[in-house]
């Protein structure tokens, strides 16, 4: 059984190295879509290091995030695991160290049950939005069921252009109908987390101001990126032991 990394990137240099190195030990191959201009520092970086990290790079103009992720899925052999990550994210060291063995030793009953119910087999992991520094996050973590999943024929990305979801069901998905976004979810150890760095990047904040309300980029409102009053320490998962 193979494990494939999926990475979408545009201009996140040099931060993308964080994402690549957090999935490289897990994956047999990393599939990358690059949406920016040729001959940029990021594109050259990816090209120079594709053999080091076993990456296959696709230059593909950006339309929507759903299109990018569906394209990567179509390049992936069925009956494989997918570990998906964005260029401004990182998996915790514990997950990087442990996920490959967990996927290779998974019991057959999980595959059978998800196939019989025709729902995606996934690992659900919490997603932390960092703010101010690498020790704090904004509010409560969000659980993702779209980052680590088993790909068998019929799986595809749906819902909307940005907040897209994996499903086997035909037709558009809706958050209003609970059974439309059902997954067969496994939950890993508490220190298996996804860390999001975008709000620590001043240039990203400026870029976001120009794209408030754009459905291609999440349809965010201004407050979702500027109201950081709920910051609280994340000592149990990020601080070194001696600082906890």
């Amino acid at each position: 059984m193979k494990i494939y990394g999926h990475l979408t990137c545009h201009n996140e240099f040099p931060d993308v190295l964080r994402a690549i190195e957090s999935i490289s030990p897990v994956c047999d191959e990393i599939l990358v879509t690059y949406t920016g201009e040729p001959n940029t520092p990021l594109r050259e970086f990816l090209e120079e290091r594709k053999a080091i990290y076993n990456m296959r790079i696709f230059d593909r103009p950006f339309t929507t995030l759903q299109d990018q992720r569906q394209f990567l899925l179509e390049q992936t052999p069925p009956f494989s695991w997918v570990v998906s990550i964005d260029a401004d994210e990182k998996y915790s060291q514990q997950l990087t160290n442990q996920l490959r063995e967990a996927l290779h030793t998974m019991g057959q009953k999980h595959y059978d049950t998800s196939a019989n119910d025709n729902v995606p087999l996934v690992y659900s992991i919490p997603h932390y939005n960092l703010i101010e520094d690498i020790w704090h996050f904004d509010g409560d973590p969000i659980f993702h069921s779209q980052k680590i999943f088993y790909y068998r024929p019929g799986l595809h990305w749906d819902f909307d252009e940005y907040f897209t979801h994996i499903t086997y069901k035909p037709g558009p998905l809706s958050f209003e109908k609970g059974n439309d976004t059902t997954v067969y979810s496994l939950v890993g150890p508490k220190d298996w987390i996804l860390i999001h760095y975008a709000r620590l990047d001043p240039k990203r904040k400026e870029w976001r101001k120009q794209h408030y309300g754009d459905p291609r980029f999440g349809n965010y409102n201004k407050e979702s990126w500027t109201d950081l009053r709920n910051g609280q320490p994340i000592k149990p998962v990020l601080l070194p032991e001696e600082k906890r």
Side-chain angles (χ1 to χ4, degrees), residues 70 73 78 118 120 151-157 166-170:
Q70 183 63 32
L73 195 61
N118 201 35
Y151 173 42
R152 55 183 178 81
L155 189 74
H156 61 278
W157 288 95
I166 48 173
T167 183
Y168 290 103
K169 299 178 183 296

Side-chain angles (χ1 to χ4, degrees), residues 204-235:
R204 183 67 180 273
K205 290 180 179 178
E206 289 300 314
W207 177 89
R208 177 57 66 188
K209 289 179 182 178
Q210 301 173 25
H211 294 90
Y212 289 139
D214 188 332
R216 296 178 305 157
F217 302 107
N219 205 24
Y220 286 104
N221 58 40
K222 184 177 180 180
E223 289 72 23
S224 64
W225 272 70
T226 59
D227 186 3
L228 305 177
R229 292 172 297 175
N230 294 322
Q232 50 189 292
I234 49 177
K235 295 187 297 186

Side-chain angles (χ1 to χ4, degrees), residues 122-147:
V122 309
Y123 261 110
S124 292
I125 57 173
H127 174 278
Y128 291 83
N129 285 314
L130 296 183
I131 61 168
E132 298 179 357
D133 54 40
I134 63 171
W135 314 121
H136 297 81
F137 69 95
D138 182 26
D140 296 324
I142 302 167
F143 270 80
H144 267 303
S145 298
Q146 320 297 320
K147 291 292 185 177

Side-chain angles (χ1 to χ4, degrees), residues 28-131:
D28 296 288
E29 185 178 25
I30 300 175
L31 308 181
V32 181
T33 54
Y34 173 73
T35 68
E37 297 295 324
N39 303 318
T40 65
L42 174 55
R43 185 62 182 86
E44 292 175 359
F45 172 88
L46 294 172
E47 188 66 28
E48 291 170 354
R49 290 160 177 80
K50 65 181 181 182
I52 299 173
Y53 296 107
N54 197 19
M55 296 186 292
R56 188 155 31 120
I57 306 164
F58 302 92
D59 293 293
R60 188 174 193 276
F62 182 84
T63 51
T64 68
L65 189 58
Q66 181 186 122
D67 289 345
Q68 297 298 101
R69 289 179 172 166
Q70 183 63 32
F71 174 83
L72 288 176
L73 195 61
E74 291 168 0
Q75 314 312 309
T76 305
F79 306 107
S80 303
W81 277 93
V82 171
V83 180
S84 179
I85 194 167
D86 294 342
D88 55 12
E89 297 172 338
K90 172 188 173 182
Y91 285 111
S92 65
Q93 191 63 52
Q94 295 87 346
L95 188 145
T96 299
N97 292 344
Q98 299 167 11
L99 180 59
R100 185 173 178 86
E101 181 179 1
L103 296 181
H104 277 293
T105 58
M106 181 173 295
Q108 185 62 39
K109 69 174 183 178
H110 298 309
Y111 295 101
D112 294 342
T113 301
S114 62
N116 290 338
D117 292 344
N118 201 35
V119 296
L121 172 61
V122 309
Y123 261 110
S124 292
I125 57 173
H127 174 278
Y128 291 83
N129 285 314
L130 296 183
I131 61 168

Side-chain angles (χ1 to χ4, degrees), residues 1-38:
M1 180 197 64
K2 297 288 188 179
I3 303 171
Y4 288 85
H6 284 186
L7 169 65
T8 61
C9 58
H10 177 71
N11 60 2
E12 304 88 351
F13 181 78
D15 292 343
V16 68
L17 181 59
R18 214 168 29 213
I20 292 171
E21 292 202 336
S22 75
I23 65 171
S24 181
V26 180
C27 301
D28 296 288
E29 185 178 25
I30 300 175
L31 308 181
V32 181
T33 54
Y34 173 73
T35 68
E37 297 295 324

